[in-house]
Amino acid sequence: MSGIIEKFQSLFPIVYFNIGIRYLIAAGIAFLFFYVLYRNKFLTKRIQSAFPKIADYRRDFFYSMLTIFFFSIIAILTFFILRPYTLLYDALSDRSLGYWLLTVIPMFFIHDFYFYWAHRLMHHPTLFRSVHKVHHLSTNPSPWTAYAFHPFEAFIEAAIILILAFTVPTHPFIIMLFMVFQIIYNVYGHLGYELFPKGFHRTWIGRYINTSVSHNQHHAHFHGNYGLYTLIWDRLFGTIRADYDESFEKATRPRSS
């Protein structure tokens, strides 16, 4: 036990820094670009006309730093403590580049499916009041909202790392790259701006891609649109909001700033 504790103590600052820097870069660049440097230029792409308050940014940043603490614990547990029991490969040379790229596909859908049901569970009245409400304090989300979770929800969110390690025969580096994609898309979902073009939601692929409008609706109204990367499960299980198409069209309609 003492050896495990020592390993945690030695690894924690490094892992926390690595996860934290990815969040700071992804959220920071998006915030700088859309909320500071080009705030006025992209006003026509705003989903909600109002902007969050400074207190909202501070609260989201605080909870995100706390979330990264728990993400770090799960990452150390997965990649170092439980590593011998997982399906993870030790060397990238064990398989071809094509194989590693293919492992991203099951990771994508496993995470998407897991998030959908975990998210719906968080909307059970008891869990919502005591846990998920922290994330929904941001009714008008910003990039800093991406990791703004209650500690319990942070554990639930981070558990996907453990699940992937035990279900997908891949390399830790590939999971790390996948988590980079995850935070980038997470920031986009909370961006407050819609980047997809007008009419995208009616294309054959756009019907199943989660958009910033979709997740913004979820934050504003607290129900429906539970997906992460896709709308597959929302459409399949009937939780897509009835006014989603209308809201997407309104957000992408040509407007003057």
Side-chain angles (χ1 to χ4, degrees), residues 113 116-117 120 207-208 230-240:
F113 185 76
Y116 174 84
W117 285 108
R120 281 194 68 174
R207 279 180 49 80
Y208 299 101
T230 79
L231 297 175
I232 292 173
W233 317 115
D234 280 302
R235 293 196 181 277
L236 183 62
F237 297 111
T239 53
I240 191 79

Side-chain angles (χ1 to χ4, degrees), residues 5 8 10 16 28 32 39 42 52 62 65 70 77 92 112 121 145 154 166 178 185-186 203 236 256:
I5 294 174
F8 260 102
S10 63
Y16 187 94
L32 181 66
R39 175 182 173 125
F42 291 106
F62 167 78
M65 292 296 102
F70 294 105
L77 186 66
L92 281 170
D112 198 51
L121 178 64
T145 313
F166 276 92
F178 179 73
Y185 209 85
N186 203 343
T203 63
L236 183 62
S256 65

